[in-house]
């Protein structure tokens, strides 16, 4: 695996954890460092770090706060 690819993985704890959990990515990253982008996308969807997931999480928290305020009033 290229040094730059290794450094990218080591500097991102989520990416490093995902690689450890899904070792089949080692094969792809050894072939080409371009697969790092695909791995990042898969990791973000798996760990729910995409912008859509963040908005959904925010919305659910807002709904919860709203319901708590409604109960209290």
């Amino acid at each position: 695996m290229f040094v730059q690819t290794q450094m990218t993985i080591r500097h991102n704890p989520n990416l490093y954890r995902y690689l450890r959990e899904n070792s089949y990515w080692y094969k792809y990253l050894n072939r080409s460092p371009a697969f790092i982008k695909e791995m990042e996308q898969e990791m973000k969807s798996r760990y729910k770090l995409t912008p859509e997931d963040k908005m959904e999480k925010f919305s659910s928290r807002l709904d919860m706060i709203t319901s708590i305020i409604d109960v209290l009033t």
Side-chain angles (χ1 to χ4, degrees):
M1 190 180 319
F2 293 104
V3 176
Q4 185 63 30
T5 305
Q6 290 177 3
M7 295 298 287
T8 302
I9 292 169
R10 294 284 178 158
H11 284 26
N12 187 339
N14 288 331
L15 201 58
Y16 183 70
R17 184 177 71 177
Y18 186 75
L19 182 62
R20 300 283 291 179
E21 292 172 358
N22 301 289
S23 59
Y24 66 90
W25 277 104
Y26 282 108
K27 178 175 64 175
Y28 294 112
L29 294 173
N30 280 329
R31 290 179 185 165
S32 173
F35 283 109
I36 192 88
K37 297 290 183 196
E38 292 178 30
M39 189 176 92
E40 279 184 283
Q41 290 173 351
E42 191 173 308
M43 179 267 306
K44 285 181 179 182
S45 66
R46 174 93 184 269
Y47 292 150
K48 299 194 184 290
L49 299 174
T50 60
E52 294 84 16
D53 293 325
K54 289 179 180 179
M55 288 299 295
E56 183 179 328
K57 191 177 191 181
F58 176 76
S59 174
S60 68
R61 285 181 180 173
L62 189 62
D63 289 339
M64 181 182 69
I65 291 170
T66 304
S67 65
I68 290 173
I69 290 174
D70 287 343
V71 168
L72 294 175
T73 59

